[in-house]
Amino acid sequence: QLGIDERIKLLKINKTNGIPPIKICLAIMNHAMFNGKRLFRLENPSKNDPGLAILSGLSKLPTDTVAHDFLDSILIIDSDKFW
């Protein structure tokens, strides 16, 4: 266990568009690890690949808006506790 769920709880984020924070965070991390470039580009072919979504516990990857809303909801004071 990496303890990522405990760390994400430190961010004090509620569900974003009905998606639990752990799943959005995993989707963002998986996308970054396996694609390495910019976050959630519409022209990226892996956006439609169900593999990354399944690794994150989702049926499909969250939209760009959901990902950005999630990241925008993190307060600096809470993000300091994350590290």
Side-chain angles (χ1 to χ4, degrees):
Q1 172 93 218
L2 297 174
I4 191 79
D5 51 338
E6 287 89 13
R7 293 218 178 251
I8 291 173
K9 287 177 187 174
L10 294 173
L11 298 175
K12 300 177 186 170
I13 299 174
N14 296 322
K15 288 183 177 182
T16 305
N17 289 356
I19 304 172
I22 182 80
K23 292 184 179 185
I24 296 176
C25 188
L26 288 173
I28 292 170
M29 289 178 5
N30 287 331
H31 193 277
M33 283 191 305
F34 292 107
N35 292 320
K37 293 190 180 180
R38 304 188 108 191
L39 205 59
F40 293 102
R41 295 188 84 162
L42 292 176
E43 64 269 20
N44 195 332
S46 68
K47 185 85 168 142
N48 297 321
D49 180 6
L52 292 178
I54 291 169
L55 283 174
S56 308
L58 298 167
S59 60
K60 62 180 182 176
L61 287 174
T63 63
D64 300 349
T65 304
V66 172
H68 290 287
D69 287 348
F70 171 80
L71 294 172
D72 285 342
S73 67
I74 299 171
L75 300 176
I76 292 174
I77 193 162
D78 294 329
S79 67
D80 287 342
K81 298 173 193 171
F82 185 79
W83 301 109

